[in-house]
Amino acid sequence: MRTGGIGGSLFLIALGAILYWAVSVEAEGFSINTIGLILMIVGVVGLILTLLMTASTDRVDRERNSGVTIVERD
């Protein structure tokens, strides 16, 4: 699930960058470049949220397992 969020965000950033900088099509009523910019912004926000959620989940997992002792036998 974590990699899906990161992968999806990176995909949106890449797609937005392509639409913003590499596509030069003019359409009446909307701008392809603006759609690319919006996709990049959404991708960056999604990436930040995914990283924050991952960091907070890892912290909670470490706090839960801090009192656990694992003994390995030979």
Side-chain angles (χ1 to χ4, degrees):
M1 188 166 138
R2 294 176 191 165
T3 56
I6 293 172
S9 296
L10 292 176
F11 175 75
L12 287 177
I13 293 169
L15 182 63
I18 291 168
L19 290 176
Y20 188 73
W21 283 297
V23 176
S24 61
V25 175
E26 293 185 20
E28 192 171 323
F30 66 94
S31 172
I32 299 290
N33 297 52
T34 303
I35 293 171
L37 181 62
I38 291 170
L39 287 175
M40 283 192 294
I41 292 170
V42 169
V44 168
V45 169
L47 182 62
I48 291 170
L49 289 176
T50 301
L51 293 175
L52 288 175
M53 300 272 293
T54 302
S56 66
T57 303
D58 288 345
R59 184 178 46 103
V60 170
D61 288 343
R62 276 182 277 153
E63 288 174 0
R64 279 191 199 148
N65 296 329
S66 63
V68 175
T69 303
I70 299 173
V71 178
E72 294 184 15
R73 295 185 181 178
D74 293 329

